[in-house]
Amino acid sequence: MPVPPGPSEPKPGLEALLAAGKALRRRVKELEQEKEDLQVMLETATEHADHLAEALEEERNDLATMLEMTTEHADTVEDELHERAAAALQKSERQLRTIIEATPAPVLITRRSDGEIFYANVMTGTLFGRPADELLGRQTLELYHDPADRQHLIAALEENDAVDALELRFKRYDSSLIWAEVSLRLLEFNDEPSLLVALHDITERKLAEERLQQQVDALRTELEETSASSQLAQSTGTTQFKNLDAAVVDHGSTRLIAIHSFRGGNGKSSIAANLAGLMAQGGRRVGILDADLQSPGMHVLLGRQAGEGIEYSLNDYLLGTCSVHQLAIDINPSLGQPISGQLFLIPASVDPGTMAQVLSQGYEAQRLTQSFDELAKALQLDFLIIDTHPGLNEEALLAMHAAHTLLVVLRPDAQDFDGTGVTVQVARQLEVPELLLLVNQLPDTRELQAVRSRVEQTYNCSVAAILPQSEEFMRFDGNGLFALRHPDHPISVGLKHVAGQLIGAVA
Protein backbone atom coordinates (compact mmCIF):
# COMPACT_ATOMS: atom_id res chain seq x y z
CA MET A 1 0.00 0.00 0.00
CA PRO A 2 1.29 3.35 -0.84
CA VAL A 3 2.71 5.79 2.01
CA PRO A 4 1.03 9.23 2.30
CA PRO A 5 3.26 12.20 1.91
CA GLY A 6 4.39 14.06 5.15
CA PRO A 7 4.83 17.83 5.72
CA SER A 8 7.41 19.41 3.56
CA GLU A 9 10.78 20.27 5.23
CA PRO A 10 12.07 23.91 4.83
CA LYS A 11 14.86 24.54 2.65
CA PRO A 12 18.15 25.33 4.26
CA GLY A 13 18.41 28.88 2.84
CA LEU A 14 15.03 29.84 4.12
CA GLU A 15 15.84 28.79 7.68
CA ALA A 16 18.80 31.05 7.82
CA LEU A 17 16.78 33.92 6.53
CA LEU A 18 14.07 33.37 9.09
CA ALA A 19 16.64 33.25 11.88
CA ALA A 20 18.22 36.46 10.70
CA GLY A 21 14.83 38.19 10.57
CA LYS A 22 14.07 37.01 14.07
CA ALA A 23 17.39 38.28 15.35
CA LEU A 24 16.81 41.58 13.59
CA ARG A 25 13.44 41.99 15.28
CA ARG A 26 15.08 41.38 18.67
CA ARG A 27 17.76 43.94 17.88
CA VAL A 28 15.14 46.48 16.84
CA LYS A 29 13.35 45.95 20.12
CA GLU A 30 16.66 46.37 22.00
CA LEU A 31 17.41 49.58 20.16
CA GLU A 32 13.94 50.86 20.85
CA GLN A 33 14.46 50.06 24.53
CA GLU A 34 17.84 51.78 24.49
CA LYS A 35 16.26 54.76 22.82
CA GLU A 36 13.63 54.90 25.49
CA ASP A 37 16.35 54.57 28.19
CA LEU A 38 18.44 57.30 26.57
CA GLN A 39 15.38 59.51 26.32
CA VAL A 40 14.72 58.99 30.00
CA MET A 41 18.39 59.63 30.84
CA LEU A 42 18.38 62.75 28.69
CA GLU A 43 15.28 64.07 30.36
CA THR A 44 16.76 63.24 33.78
CA ALA A 45 20.11 64.91 32.94
CA THR A 46 18.32 67.98 31.66
CA GLU A 47 16.26 68.25 34.81
CA HIS A 48 19.46 67.78 36.92
CA ALA A 49 21.30 70.36 34.87
CA ASP A 50 18.47 72.78 35.42
CA HIS A 51 18.55 72.12 39.14
CA LEU A 52 22.40 72.45 39.17
CA ALA A 53 22.22 75.69 37.27
CA GLU A 54 19.63 77.00 39.68
CA ALA A 55 21.81 75.91 42.64
CA LEU A 56 24.89 77.54 41.16
CA GLU A 57 22.97 80.73 40.49
CA GLU A 58 21.65 80.71 44.03
CA GLU A 59 25.15 80.09 45.38
CA ARG A 60 26.52 82.91 43.26
CA ASN A 61 23.88 85.22 44.57
CA ASP A 62 24.67 84.13 48.12
CA LEU A 63 28.39 84.76 47.56
CA ALA A 64 27.66 88.17 46.13
CA THR A 65 25.54 88.97 49.14
CA MET A 66 28.27 87.72 51.48
CA LEU A 67 30.87 89.78 49.60
CA GLU A 68 28.78 92.89 49.91
CA MET A 69 28.26 92.21 53.61
CA THR A 70 32.00 91.49 54.14
CA THR A 71 32.99 94.66 52.34
CA GLU A 72 30.60 96.70 54.40
CA HIS A 73 31.87 94.98 57.60
CA ALA A 74 35.50 95.51 56.57
CA ASP A 75 34.81 99.20 56.03
CA THR A 76 33.16 99.32 59.42
CA VAL A 77 36.03 97.44 61.06
CA GLU A 78 38.58 99.67 59.33
CA ASP A 79 36.75 102.76 60.48
CA GLU A 80 36.54 101.35 64.00
CA LEU A 81 40.23 100.42 64.05
CA HIS A 82 41.15 103.86 62.74
CA GLU A 83 39.02 105.48 65.43
CA ARG A 84 40.61 103.26 68.08
CA ALA A 85 44.12 104.06 66.82
CA ALA A 86 43.34 107.78 66.80
CA ALA A 87 41.92 107.54 70.32
CA ALA A 88 44.93 105.55 71.52
CA LEU A 89 47.29 108.09 69.95
CA GLN A 90 45.44 110.96 71.60
CA LYS A 91 45.52 109.12 74.92
CA SER A 92 49.23 108.39 74.50
CA GLU A 93 49.93 112.02 73.71
CA ARG A 94 47.89 113.14 76.72
CA GLN A 95 49.81 110.72 78.93
CA LEU A 96 53.12 111.91 77.44
CA ARG A 97 52.15 115.52 78.09
CA THR A 98 51.13 114.65 81.65
CA ILE A 99 54.44 112.88 82.28
CA ILE A 100 56.48 115.69 80.75
CA GLU A 101 54.55 118.35 82.65
CA ALA A 102 55.16 116.49 85.91
CA THR A 103 58.86 116.06 85.18
CA PRO A 104 60.90 118.44 87.40
CA ALA A 105 63.22 119.32 84.54
CA PRO A 106 62.95 121.24 81.26
CA VAL A 107 61.57 118.95 78.52
CA LEU A 108 60.43 119.79 74.99
CA ILE A 109 59.38 117.98 71.81
CA THR A 110 60.65 119.27 68.48
CA ARG A 111 60.39 118.32 64.83
CA ARG A 112 63.52 116.44 63.84
CA SER A 113 63.92 118.09 60.45
CA ASP A 114 63.93 121.77 61.42
CA GLY A 115 63.65 121.89 65.22
CA GLU A 116 60.19 123.46 65.38
CA ILE A 117 58.92 123.21 68.95
CA PHE A 118 55.72 121.15 69.24
CA TYR A 119 55.59 121.09 73.02
CA ALA A 120 57.45 122.56 76.00
CA ASN A 121 56.72 122.10 79.70
CA VAL A 122 56.61 124.86 82.29
CA MET A 123 60.19 124.16 83.43
CA THR A 124 61.43 124.85 79.90
CA GLY A 125 59.74 128.22 79.93
CA THR A 126 61.31 129.00 83.30
CA LEU A 127 64.76 128.01 82.04
CA PHE A 128 64.60 130.25 78.98
CA GLY A 129 62.76 133.14 80.64
CA ARG A 130 59.52 133.02 78.64
CA PRO A 131 56.11 131.30 79.13
CA ALA A 132 56.18 127.79 77.71
CA ASP A 133 53.28 128.39 75.30
CA GLU A 134 55.22 131.23 73.68
CA LEU A 135 57.91 128.75 72.68
CA LEU A 136 55.51 126.70 70.57
CA GLY A 137 56.01 127.09 66.83
CA ARG A 138 59.49 128.58 67.25
CA GLN A 139 62.67 126.82 66.22
CA THR A 140 65.25 125.58 68.69
CA LEU A 141 67.98 127.33 66.70
CA GLU A 142 66.83 130.50 68.46
CA LEU A 143 67.84 128.95 71.80
CA TYR A 144 71.38 127.77 70.98
CA HIS A 145 74.31 130.04 71.76
CA ASP A 146 75.99 128.48 68.72
CA PRO A 147 73.36 127.29 66.16
CA ALA A 148 75.89 124.81 64.76
CA ASP A 149 75.55 122.83 68.00
CA ARG A 150 72.18 121.48 66.79
CA GLN A 151 73.82 119.83 63.81
CA HIS A 152 76.40 118.28 66.11
CA LEU A 153 73.59 116.95 68.29
CA ILE A 154 71.71 115.45 65.32
CA ALA A 155 74.94 113.86 64.04
CA ALA A 156 75.59 112.30 67.45
CA LEU A 157 71.99 111.06 67.58
CA GLU A 158 72.25 109.44 64.15
CA GLU A 159 75.47 107.73 65.14
CA ASN A 160 74.38 106.39 68.53
CA ASP A 161 70.53 106.46 68.41
CA ALA A 162 70.66 108.50 71.63
CA VAL A 163 72.46 111.46 73.21
CA ASP A 164 73.05 111.66 76.96
CA ALA A 165 74.27 114.58 79.11
CA LEU A 166 76.05 116.55 76.39
CA GLU A 167 77.10 119.94 77.78
CA LEU A 168 76.11 122.92 75.61
CA ARG A 169 75.55 126.64 75.98
CA PHE A 170 72.12 128.19 75.35
CA LYS A 171 70.73 131.69 75.61
CA ARG A 172 67.70 133.04 77.41
CA TYR A 173 65.39 135.55 75.81
CA ASP A 174 67.18 138.31 77.69
CA SER A 175 70.37 137.14 75.86
CA SER A 176 72.02 135.88 79.07
CA LEU A 177 73.91 132.61 78.65
CA ILE A 178 73.14 129.35 80.41
CA TRP A 179 74.78 125.94 80.43
CA ALA A 180 72.74 122.75 80.19
CA GLU A 181 73.26 119.02 79.82
CA VAL A 182 71.23 117.85 76.81
CA SER A 183 69.76 114.37 76.32
CA LEU A 184 67.91 113.35 73.13
CA ARG A 185 65.64 110.47 72.12
CA LEU A 186 63.82 109.76 68.84
CA LEU A 187 60.04 110.02 69.00
CA GLU A 188 56.96 109.89 66.74
CA PHE A 189 54.75 112.86 67.61
CA ASN A 190 51.81 114.13 65.57
CA ASP A 191 52.71 111.50 62.94
CA GLU A 192 56.07 113.19 62.38
CA PRO A 193 59.64 112.14 63.22
CA SER A 194 60.40 114.15 66.34
CA LEU A 195 62.90 114.56 69.16
CA LEU A 196 62.31 114.33 72.89
CA VAL A 197 64.75 116.82 74.43
CA ALA A 198 65.57 116.86 78.15
CA LEU A 199 67.71 119.62 79.69
CA HIS A 200 69.53 119.87 83.02
CA ASP A 201 70.63 123.34 84.09
CA ILE A 202 74.32 123.22 85.09
CA THR A 203 75.00 126.95 84.89
CA GLU A 204 75.99 127.28 88.56
CA ARG A 205 78.32 124.31 88.31
CA LYS A 206 80.01 125.66 85.19
CA LEU A 207 80.42 129.09 86.78
CA ALA A 208 81.97 127.44 89.84
CA GLU A 209 84.33 125.51 87.56
CA GLU A 210 85.29 128.73 85.81
CA ARG A 211 85.97 130.43 89.16
CA LEU A 212 88.09 127.48 90.27
CA GLN A 213 89.96 127.53 86.99
CA GLN A 214 90.61 131.24 87.41
CA GLN A 215 92.03 130.54 90.87
CA VAL A 216 94.23 127.80 89.47
CA ASP A 217 95.44 130.08 86.67
CA ALA A 218 96.19 132.84 89.16
CA LEU A 219 98.11 130.45 91.42
CA ARG A 220 99.97 129.01 88.45
CA THR A 221 100.96 132.49 87.31
CA GLU A 222 102.01 133.39 90.82
CA LEU A 223 104.11 130.27 91.19
CA GLU A 224 105.69 130.62 87.76
CA GLU A 225 106.69 134.19 88.54
CA THR A 226 108.23 133.16 91.85
CA SER A 227 111.74 131.80 91.48
CA ALA A 228 113.39 129.49 94.02
CA SER A 229 115.07 132.42 95.75
CA SER A 230 112.41 135.12 95.40
CA GLN A 231 109.77 136.17 97.86
CA LEU A 232 106.06 135.55 97.39
CA ALA A 233 104.67 138.96 98.28
CA GLN A 234 101.03 138.52 97.38
CA SER A 235 98.72 137.58 100.24
CA THR A 236 95.97 135.02 99.81
CA GLY A 237 94.45 135.78 103.22
CA THR A 238 95.43 137.76 106.27
CA THR A 239 98.98 136.41 106.34
CA GLN A 240 101.68 137.75 104.05
CA PHE A 241 103.80 135.14 102.26
CA LYS A 242 107.39 136.21 102.79
CA ASN A 243 109.30 133.31 101.33
CA LEU A 244 107.67 130.21 99.90
CA ASP A 245 111.06 128.69 99.27
CA ALA A 246 111.67 128.81 103.03
CA ALA A 247 109.72 125.56 103.14
CA VAL A 248 112.62 123.85 101.44
CA VAL A 249 114.82 123.10 104.46
CA ASP A 250 116.83 120.15 105.62
CA HIS A 251 114.69 117.82 107.70
CA GLY A 252 117.34 115.17 108.01
CA SER A 253 115.91 111.67 107.87
CA THR A 254 112.43 112.81 108.95
CA ARG A 255 109.75 112.38 106.32
CA LEU A 256 107.12 115.13 106.16
CA ILE A 257 103.55 114.11 105.29
CA ALA A 258 100.94 116.81 104.68
CA ILE A 259 97.32 115.70 104.92
CA HIS A 260 94.92 118.05 103.17
CA SER A 261 91.38 118.40 101.82
CA PHE A 262 89.75 121.10 99.74
CA ARG A 263 86.63 121.16 101.92
CA GLY A 264 86.01 120.59 105.60
CA GLY A 265 83.97 117.72 106.96
CA ASN A 266 85.81 115.02 105.03
CA GLY A 267 87.26 113.32 108.09
CA LYS A 268 90.73 114.60 107.27
CA SER A 269 91.84 115.26 110.85
CA SER A 270 90.48 111.93 112.12
CA ILE A 271 92.36 110.15 109.35
CA ALA A 272 95.56 112.08 110.15
CA ALA A 273 95.34 111.22 113.88
CA ASN A 274 94.68 107.52 113.26
CA LEU A 275 97.47 107.26 110.68
CA ALA A 276 99.88 108.83 113.19
CA GLY A 277 98.78 106.34 115.86
CA LEU A 278 99.17 103.35 113.55
CA MET A 279 102.64 104.44 112.46
CA ALA A 280 103.67 104.92 116.11
CA GLN A 281 102.20 101.52 116.94
CA GLY A 282 104.55 100.14 114.32
CA GLY A 283 107.54 101.35 116.31
CA ARG A 284 108.09 104.76 114.65
CA ARG A 285 108.62 108.12 116.30
CA VAL A 286 105.81 110.26 114.92
CA GLY A 287 104.87 113.87 115.44
CA ILE A 288 101.51 115.30 114.37
CA LEU A 289 101.35 119.06 113.93
CA ASP A 290 97.99 120.84 113.95
CA ALA A 291 98.50 123.52 111.28
CA ASP A 292 94.79 124.33 111.13
CA LEU A 293 95.19 127.65 112.92
CA GLN A 294 91.66 128.78 112.08
CA SER A 295 89.80 125.75 113.46
CA PRO A 296 92.12 123.52 115.50
CA GLY A 297 90.83 120.18 116.74
CA MET A 298 93.64 117.63 116.75
CA HIS A 299 94.03 117.92 120.53
CA VAL A 300 90.45 116.64 121.00
CA LEU A 301 91.10 113.62 118.79
CA LEU A 302 94.19 112.83 120.86
CA GLY A 303 92.52 113.06 124.24
CA ARG A 304 93.19 116.67 125.26
CA GLN A 305 89.71 118.12 125.72
CA ALA A 306 89.40 121.94 125.82
CA GLY A 307 93.16 122.36 125.59
CA GLU A 308 93.80 120.31 128.74
CA GLY A 309 97.50 120.18 129.56
CA ILE A 310 98.42 122.46 126.64
CA GLU A 311 100.74 125.23 127.87
CA TYR A 312 102.20 126.32 124.55
CA SER A 313 100.95 126.00 121.00
CA LEU A 314 102.14 126.43 117.45
CA ASN A 315 100.61 129.91 117.56
CA ASP A 316 102.96 130.86 120.40
CA TYR A 317 105.95 129.63 118.43
CA LEU A 318 104.88 131.58 115.32
CA LEU A 319 104.52 134.72 117.46
CA GLY A 320 107.99 134.09 118.91
CA THR A 321 106.87 133.65 122.54
CA CYS A 322 108.20 130.09 123.01
CA SER A 323 110.77 127.69 121.61
CA VAL A 324 110.01 124.58 119.61
CA HIS A 325 111.16 122.42 122.54
CA GLN A 326 108.21 123.66 124.58
CA LEU A 327 105.60 122.59 122.01
CA ALA A 328 105.57 118.81 121.87
CA ILE A 329 103.19 116.78 124.07
CA ASP A 330 103.74 113.07 124.69
CA ILE A 331 100.47 111.41 123.65
CA ASN A 332 101.33 107.79 124.46
CA PRO A 333 99.61 107.89 127.89
CA SER A 334 96.39 109.14 126.27
CA LEU A 335 96.14 106.26 123.82
CA GLY A 336 94.81 103.82 126.42
CA GLN A 337 97.08 100.99 125.32
CA PRO A 338 100.83 100.46 124.97
CA ILE A 339 102.56 101.10 121.63
CA SER A 340 106.13 100.31 120.68
CA GLY A 341 106.81 103.72 119.12
CA GLN A 342 106.27 107.32 120.24
CA LEU A 343 103.53 109.81 119.32
CA PHE A 344 103.86 113.57 119.90
CA LEU A 345 101.24 116.28 119.43
CA ILE A 346 102.17 119.81 118.41
CA PRO A 347 98.85 121.58 119.04
CA ALA A 348 97.38 124.79 117.70
CA SER A 349 95.90 127.27 120.16
CA VAL A 350 92.22 127.24 121.06
CA ASP A 351 92.53 130.55 122.90
CA PRO A 352 90.47 133.13 120.98
CA GLY A 353 92.92 135.93 121.67
CA THR A 354 95.95 134.00 120.46
CA MET A 355 94.08 132.74 117.40
CA ALA A 356 92.97 136.25 116.50
CA GLN A 357 96.47 137.63 117.01
CA VAL A 358 98.04 135.19 114.57
CA LEU A 359 95.27 135.61 112.01
CA SER A 360 95.27 139.40 112.19
CA GLN A 361 98.96 140.30 112.38
CA GLY A 362 100.33 137.32 110.48
CA TYR A 363 103.69 135.63 110.91
CA GLU A 364 106.89 135.00 109.04
CA ALA A 365 106.45 132.06 106.68
CA GLN A 366 109.95 130.96 107.57
CA ARG A 367 108.86 130.48 111.19
CA LEU A 368 106.39 127.77 110.19
CA THR A 369 108.76 125.90 107.91
CA GLN A 370 111.54 126.31 110.44
CA SER A 371 109.33 124.57 113.00
CA PHE A 372 109.19 121.51 110.75
CA ASP A 373 112.99 121.23 110.76
CA GLU A 374 113.43 121.99 114.46
CA LEU A 375 110.72 119.55 115.55
CA ALA A 376 112.17 116.81 113.35
CA LYS A 377 115.58 117.22 114.94
CA ALA A 378 114.52 117.90 118.53
CA LEU A 379 112.16 114.93 118.70
CA GLN A 380 114.25 112.69 116.42
CA LEU A 381 111.15 111.99 114.37
CA ASP A 382 110.79 109.37 111.71
CA PHE A 383 107.65 111.10 110.45
CA LEU A 384 106.08 114.52 110.94
CA ILE A 385 102.41 114.58 109.90
CA ILE A 386 100.99 118.05 109.19
CA ASP A 387 97.22 118.43 109.44
CA THR A 388 96.34 121.47 107.29
CA HIS A 389 93.37 123.80 107.15
CA PRO A 390 90.94 122.93 104.29
CA GLY A 391 91.27 124.92 101.08
CA LEU A 392 94.20 126.83 99.67
CA ASN A 393 95.68 129.06 102.37
CA GLU A 394 99.09 130.04 103.71
CA GLU A 395 99.63 127.07 106.01
CA ALA A 396 98.37 124.59 103.42
CA LEU A 397 100.62 125.88 100.62
CA LEU A 398 103.68 126.01 102.88
CA ALA A 399 103.04 122.49 104.17
CA MET A 400 102.47 121.17 100.64
CA HIS A 401 105.66 122.79 99.39
CA ALA A 402 107.69 121.35 102.30
CA ALA A 403 106.19 117.85 102.28
CA HIS A 404 107.71 114.71 100.83
CA THR A 405 104.21 113.24 100.55
CA LEU A 406 100.85 114.99 100.14
CA LEU A 407 97.79 112.90 101.02
CA VAL A 408 94.58 114.53 99.75
CA VAL A 409 91.33 113.37 101.38
CA LEU A 410 88.10 113.70 99.38
CA ARG A 411 84.57 112.46 99.39
CA PRO A 412 83.00 110.96 96.24
CA ASP A 413 80.84 113.97 95.34
CA ALA A 414 80.92 116.67 92.67
CA GLN A 415 82.13 119.53 94.89
CA ASP A 416 85.03 117.54 96.29
CA PHE A 417 85.96 116.33 92.82
CA ASP A 418 86.17 119.91 91.53
CA GLY A 419 88.09 121.21 94.56
CA THR A 420 90.47 118.26 94.56
CA GLY A 421 91.28 119.04 90.95
CA VAL A 422 92.50 122.48 92.03
CA THR A 423 94.56 120.99 94.87
CA VAL A 424 96.19 118.44 92.59
CA GLN A 425 97.12 121.09 90.02
CA VAL A 426 98.66 123.33 92.69
CA ALA A 427 100.56 120.38 94.20
CA ARG A 428 102.06 119.60 90.80
CA GLN A 429 103.02 123.23 90.35
CA LEU A 430 104.77 122.99 93.74
CA GLU A 431 106.46 119.77 92.56
CA VAL A 432 105.40 117.71 95.58
CA PRO A 433 107.49 114.49 95.27
CA GLU A 434 104.65 112.08 96.10
CA LEU A 435 100.94 112.73 95.69
CA LEU A 436 98.32 110.28 96.99
CA LEU A 437 94.52 110.42 97.19
CA LEU A 438 92.30 108.89 99.86
CA VAL A 439 88.56 108.63 99.17
CA ASN A 440 86.53 108.70 102.38
CA GLN A 441 82.86 108.04 103.21
CA LEU A 442 81.97 105.91 100.17
CA PRO A 443 78.24 105.12 100.64
CA ASP A 444 78.13 101.95 98.51
CA THR A 445 81.16 99.64 98.61
CA ARG A 446 79.88 97.90 95.47
CA GLU A 447 81.07 100.97 93.56
CA LEU A 448 84.59 100.75 94.99
CA GLN A 449 86.35 99.69 91.79
CA ALA A 450 84.37 102.13 89.66
CA VAL A 451 85.20 105.03 92.01
CA ARG A 452 88.87 104.07 92.15
CA SER A 453 89.07 103.95 88.37
CA ARG A 454 87.26 107.25 87.99
CA VAL A 455 89.45 109.07 90.55
CA GLU A 456 92.72 107.73 89.18
CA GLN A 457 91.76 108.57 85.59
CA THR A 458 90.47 112.03 86.53
CA TYR A 459 93.60 113.12 88.41
CA ASN A 460 96.21 110.75 86.97
CA CYS A 461 97.16 109.99 90.55
CA SER A 462 97.32 106.90 92.78
CA VAL A 463 94.52 106.17 95.23
CA ALA A 464 96.00 105.02 98.55
CA ALA A 465 92.67 103.69 99.85
CA ILE A 466 88.90 104.03 99.62
CA LEU A 467 87.20 104.00 103.01
CA PRO A 468 83.52 103.12 103.40
CA GLN A 469 81.02 105.35 105.14
CA SER A 470 81.03 104.38 108.81
CA GLU A 471 78.87 105.79 111.58
CA GLU A 472 81.11 104.07 114.16
CA PHE A 473 84.18 105.92 112.90
CA MET A 474 82.44 109.28 112.52
CA ARG A 475 80.92 109.19 116.02
CA PHE A 476 83.79 107.55 117.87
CA ASP A 477 84.40 109.43 121.10
CA GLY A 478 86.08 106.78 123.21
CA ASN A 479 89.52 106.90 124.75
CA GLY A 480 92.42 106.56 122.34
CA LEU A 481 92.25 106.18 118.59
CA PHE A 482 89.62 104.27 116.63
CA ALA A 483 92.13 102.25 114.56
CA LEU A 484 93.93 101.11 117.72
CA ARG A 485 90.75 100.27 119.60
CA HIS A 486 89.04 98.48 116.67
CA PRO A 487 91.88 96.97 114.61
CA ASP A 488 89.63 94.65 112.58
CA HIS A 489 87.12 97.28 111.49
CA PRO A 490 87.13 97.98 107.70
CA ILE A 491 88.18 101.59 108.37
CA SER A 492 91.13 100.41 110.48
CA VAL A 493 92.16 97.85 107.87
CA GLY A 494 92.13 100.55 105.19
CA LEU A 495 94.12 102.98 107.29
CA LYS A 496 96.69 100.27 108.12
CA HIS A 497 97.17 99.82 104.39
CA VAL A 498 97.76 103.57 103.95
CA ALA A 499 100.17 103.67 106.93
CA GLY A 500 102.07 100.77 105.40
CA GLN A 501 102.43 102.71 102.15
CA LEU A 502 103.70 105.80 103.96
CA ILE A 503 106.19 103.81 106.02
CA GLY A 504 107.27 101.79 102.99
CA ALA A 505 108.08 104.97 101.09
CA VAL A 506 111.02 105.52 103.45
CA ALA A 507 112.55 102.10 102.86
Side-chain angles (χ1 to χ4, degrees), residues 417-436:
F417 267 64
D418 291 339
T420 299
V422 175
T423 303
V424 168
Q425 291 188 52
V426 171
R428 288 185 170 136
Q429 288 291 319
L430 294 172
E431 299 181 351
V432 177
E434 183 181 35
L435 177 60
L436 297 173

Side-chain angles (χ1 to χ4, degrees), residues 93-267:
E93 289 183 1
R94 287 196 302 270
Q95 291 176 336
L96 179 61
R97 290 173 184 267
T98 301
I99 293 171
I100 292 176
E101 201 60 46
T103 302
V107 178
L108 56 153
I109 300 174
T110 69
R111 182 187 287 125
R112 179 175 178 177
S113 58
D114 60 5
E116 180 182 338
I117 299 174
F118 291 147
Y119 178 78
N121 67 354
V122 175
M123 295 292 290
T124 304
T126 302
L127 178 64
F128 289 101
R130 176 165 291 195
D133 56 359
E134 293 186 16
L135 295 173
L136 303 184
R138 296 180 176 273
Q139 292 188 333
T140 52
L141 286 176
E142 300 177 32
L143 306 177
Y144 286 92
H145 173 67
D146 182 357
D149 285 341
R150 186 176 189 273
Q151 293 301 321
H152 298 153
L153 274 174
I154 297 300
L157 182 66
E158 291 175 348
E159 181 178 354
N160 302 309
D161 296 327
V163 173
D164 289 307
L166 187 63
E167 296 183 0
L168 292 176
R169 284 188 296 176
F170 295 87
K171 57 184 178 182
R172 293 189 176 96
Y173 275 90
D174 62 1
S175 298
S176 61
L177 296 183
I178 54 176
W179 279 92
E181 288 182 341
V182 186
S183 298
L184 295 183
R185 292 295 185 274
L186 295 172
L187 178 72
E188 282 291 327
F189 190 81
N190 291 340
D191 294 328
E192 290 195 66
S194 306
L195 300 176
L196 180 64
V197 185
L199 303 170
H200 174 54
D201 187 1
I202 57 171
T203 305
E204 288 301 321
R205 194 191 83 192
K206 297 298 288 188
L207 291 176
E209 290 177 357
E210 290 177 5
R211 289 193 295 269
L212 287 171
Q213 188 59 50
Q214 290 171 1
Q215 293 177 15
V216 171
D217 292 341
L219 284 168
R220 181 182 294 113
T221 300
E222 185 175 317
L223 292 169
E224 288 175 351
E225 291 176 352
T226 305
S227 65
S229 59
S230 68
Q231 293 184 342
L232 186 60
Q234 183 178 358
S235 174
T236 59
T238 58
T239 302
Q240 196 80 5
F241 274 34
K242 291 299 182 68
N243 192 352
L244 184 62
D245 194 56
V248 183
V249 294
D250 180 15
H251 310 297
S253 60
T254 304
R255 189 168 185 84
L256 267 60
I257 301 170
I259 299 183
H260 184 69
S261 65
F262 190 80
R263 286 195 307 159
N266 289 345

Side-chain angles (χ1 to χ4, degrees), residues 292-363:
D292 190 351
L293 301 179
Q294 301 176 43
S295 52
M298 187 58 66
H299 60 283
V300 176
L301 295 171
L302 294 176
R304 297 300 175 110
Q305 299 291 334
E308 174 192 355
I310 299 177
E311 185 175 358
Y312 296 101
S313 67
L314 179 63
N315 306 59
D316 298 310
Y317 175 81
L318 295 176
L319 294 172
T321 59
C322 75
S323 68
V324 73
H325 299 83
Q326 297 172 288
L327 293 179
I329 300 173
D330 182 0
I331 294 300
N332 283 35
S334 303
L335 298 179
Q337 59 191 88
I339 60 174
S340 57
Q342 186 69 53
L343 180 58
F344 298 97
L345 167 65
I346 298 88
S349 177
V350 295
D351 176 68
T354 306
M355 292 174 65
Q357 187 177 2
V358 168
L359 295 177
S360 61
Q361 78 179 46
Y363 58 88

